[in-house]
């Protein structure tokens, strides 16, 4: 499955088992991206949210 | 077939491992991005047996946990466990109350009291941590009074109200590593060493993981720590000291993606097995 990086327009290849809300990196510009939707083998990517104060384990 | 509701925000490598393990075990997983939900008791339709709380956001995870508990869905880990483990001060209190070895600590709200507390704890260095926080962020090793005054003034002026509660912990000199033990239902299933040249050993800060054999001492102290906070799916962060092991912190939405390989243990599989066990005992 392929999609487009919203930052640099590079083509991003997604692994088969990709899930919605998963964080990935663009191999060209290394921006952290989130898979915002995944429908009918089409993935939409957005810039990942920045780490917030309450994030963690 | 048992269906687990996996409560999440962003999907990390850890959640991917859980999803993959569920596929292998033929366990149904319903992914619930809590950011997209409407938690209204009057309208919510729930179609799973148990919720596994895996939100990276503590606040959103807590709200989701309280909601599902309010409609009678068991959440792993439950809100009582989360309330203790998410707060380092509350965790330390629970550990000390249960007579479990843990570094000395104090909570103060101004620099005068901080100086007095540090004196009573044996002096510098100490560590100041945000009571709520993770991944080794905003930890400060305070070596002297000058550093103490600077850090506390910055927190006072720049920090949120939570940052103005000063949790001070005795600094424990580590031999370049600490231990993280994965504890499910009181049983330590595996453990890792986290090695780092830096005094902060979190893997999020570059700590390198390797297998740590689970000794009886590790299993015993982890069981006691798990009991002290209410059990569930936990990980204990352990210091090795000349006086034996000490529990530093306990994590209630533990990350484990870097730990399955060195320990050769399916932590994700064990998490699911525990969820199934909980459902069967409902």
């Amino acid at each position: 499955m392929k999609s487009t990086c919203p930052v640099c327009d590079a083509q991003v290849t997604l692994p088969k088992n990709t899930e919605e809300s998963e964080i990935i990196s663009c191999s060209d510009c290394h921006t952290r991206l989130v898979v915002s939707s995944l429908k009918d083998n089409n993935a939409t990517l957005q810039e990942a949210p920045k780490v917030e104060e309450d994030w963690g384990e | 077939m048992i269906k687990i509701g996996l409560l999440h925000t962003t999907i990390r490598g850890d959640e991917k491992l859980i999803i993959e393990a569920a596929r292998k075990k033929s366990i149904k997983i319903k992914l619930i991005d809590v950011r997209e939900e409407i938690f209204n008791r009057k309208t919510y339709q729930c179609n799973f047996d148990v919720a596994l709380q895996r939100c990276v956001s503590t606040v959103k995870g807590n709200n989701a946990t309280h909601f599902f508990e309010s409609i009678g869905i068991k959440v792993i880990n439950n809100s009582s466990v989360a309330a203790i483990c998410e707060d380092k001060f509350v965790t330390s209190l629970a550990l000390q109350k249960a007579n479990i070895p843990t570094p000395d600590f104090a909570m103060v709200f101004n620099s005068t009291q901080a100086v007095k507390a540090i004196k009573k704890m044996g002096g510098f260095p100490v560590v100041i941590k945000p009571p709520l926080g993770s991944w080794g962020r905003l930890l400060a090793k305070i070596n002297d009074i000058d550093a103490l005054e600077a850090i506390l003034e910055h927190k006072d002026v720049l920090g949120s109200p939570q940052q103005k509660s000063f949790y001070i912990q005795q600094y424990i000199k580590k031999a370049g590593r600490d231990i993280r033990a994965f504890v499910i239902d009181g049983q330590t299933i595996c453990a890792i060493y986290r090695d780092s040249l830096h005094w902060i050993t979190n893997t999020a800060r570059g700590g390198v993981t390797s297998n740590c054999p689970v000794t009886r001492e590790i299993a015993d102290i982890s069981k006691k720590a798990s009991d002290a906070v209410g059990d569930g799916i936990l990980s204990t962060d352990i210091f090795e000291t000349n006086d034996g092991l000490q529990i530093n912190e306990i994590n209630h939405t533990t990350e484990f993606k870097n730990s399955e390989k060195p320990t050769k243990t399916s932590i994700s599989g064990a998490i699911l097995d525990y969820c199934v066990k909980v459902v069967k005992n409902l």
Side-chain angles (χ1 to χ4, degrees):
Chain A
M1 195 184 336
K2 292 190 190 315
S3 188
T4 306
C5 173
V7 177
C8 73
D9 274 341
Q11 201 171 59
V12 179
T13 305
L14 302 168
K16 258 187 182 172
N17 61 350
T18 300
E19 303 283 352
E20 261 185 33
S21 301
E22 186 176 342
I23 303 284
I24 59 164
S25 285
C26 172
S27 52
D28 270 27
C29 69
H30 305 294
T31 301
R32 275 162 49 88
L33 303 170
V34 62
V35 182
S36 58
S37 81
L38 200 58
K39 276 177 195 152
D40 305 326
N41 227 21
N42 285 318
T44 309
L45 303 175
Q46 290 180 348
E47 270 192 86
K50 288 198 165 57
V51 172
E52 294 190 36
E53 194 176 328
D54 74 326
W55 281 29
E57 49 178 342
Chain B
M1 186 192 272
I2 288 169
K3 195 172 184 183
I4 298 170
L6 196 158
L7 312 181
H8 68 89
T9 47
T10 57
I11 297 272
R12 295 166 287 184
D14 314 271
E15 284 72 58
K16 293 281 302 262
L17 288 170
I18 292 172
I19 294 165
E20 188 54 37
R23 281 188 190 124
K24 283 184 190 158
K25 288 174 178 282
S26 301
I27 293 171
K28 272 195 141 184
I29 290 272
K30 180 178 165 61
L31 292 175
I32 301 162
D33 187 338
V34 304
R35 297 167 299 182
E36 304 301 325
E37 295 294 307
I38 298 171
F39 290 137
N40 179 331
R41 293 183 84 243
K42 290 178 184 165
T43 57
Y44 198 86
Q45 301 286 316
C46 190
N47 60 351
F48 51 87
D49 302 294
V50 69
L52 175 61
Q53 202 287 96
R54 293 288 316 170
C55 295
V56 73
S57 159
T58 305
V59 173
K60 292 181 178 75
N62 282 345
N63 287 324
T65 300
H66 285 298
F67 174 75
F68 284 109
E69 287 180 345
S70 83
I71 59 170
I73 295 290
K74 197 164 177 74
V75 183
I76 302 166
N77 290 310
N78 67 44
S79 54
S80 307
V81 173
I84 299 172
C85 295
E86 73 183 17
D87 187 309
K88 293 173 175 62
F89 179 56
V90 181
T91 304
S92 295
L93 292 172
L95 291 168
Q96 208 173 60
K97 211 171 146 191
N99 293 316
I100 297 164
T102 190
D104 197 7
F105 66 97
M107 169 67 80
V108 298
F109 304 107
N110 64 58
S111 54
T112 309
Q113 298 307 95
V115 172
K116 286 181 192 168
I118 291 165
K119 205 171 171 186
K120 283 184 183 171
M121 285 165 61
F124 295 103
V126 293
V127 177
I128 291 189
K129 302 176 177 183
L132 307 178
S134 194
W135 298 341
R137 285 169 302 168
L138 296 176
L139 306 190
K141 179 175 168 232
I142 310 285
N143 294 326
D144 57 32
I145 186 86
D146 293 341
L148 178 73
E149 285 172 354
I151 289 284
L152 295 193
E153 187 183 4
H154 276 73
K155 281 180 176 286
D156 242 345
V157 174
L158 302 173
S160 61
Q162 285 176 346
Q163 298 294 337
K164 292 170 190 172
S165 298
F166 308 132
Y167 169 85
I168 305 171
Q169 191 186 54
Q170 175 193 13
Y171 174 71
I172 302 291
K173 202 168 164 37
K174 296 177 277 188
R177 71 181 188 192
D178 68 3
I179 295 168
R180 167 162 292 190
F182 296 91
V183 190
I184 298 183
D185 204 13
Q187 193 191 343
T188 301
I189 59 165
C190 60
I192 53 165
Y193 289 118
R194 301 187 300 184
D195 285 81
S196 176
L197 294 175
H198 196 278
W199 68 275
I200 298 174
T201 47
N202 297 61
T203 54
R205 297 281 294 264
V208 177
T209 60
S210 60
N211 184 51
C212 166
V214 178
T215 61
R216 190 171 175 174
E217 200 185 3
I218 291 172
D220 283 351
I221 197 169
S222 295
K223 168 83 172 83
K224 285 178 190 163
S226 174
D227 288 347
V229 300
D231 277 334
I233 297 167
L234 303 166
S235 64
T236 52
D237 291 347
I238 304 173
F239 292 152
E240 300 160 287
T241 77
N242 292 335
D243 301 321
L245 301 181
Q246 294 192 8
I247 299 281
N248 176 32
E249 294 173 8
I250 306 173
N251 304 286
H252 70 291
T253 51
T254 187
E255 292 174 340
F256 54 86
K257 63 179 177 289
N258 299 320
S259 304
E260 291 203 338
K261 214 179 224 176
T263 61
K264 296 189 176 115
T265 302
S266 173
I267 299 167
S268 48
I271 287 171
L272 291 169
D273 291 343
Y274 176 70
C275 293
V276 170
K277 186 180 158 192
V278 167
V279 173
K280 285 184 175 167
N281 288 334
L282 284 175

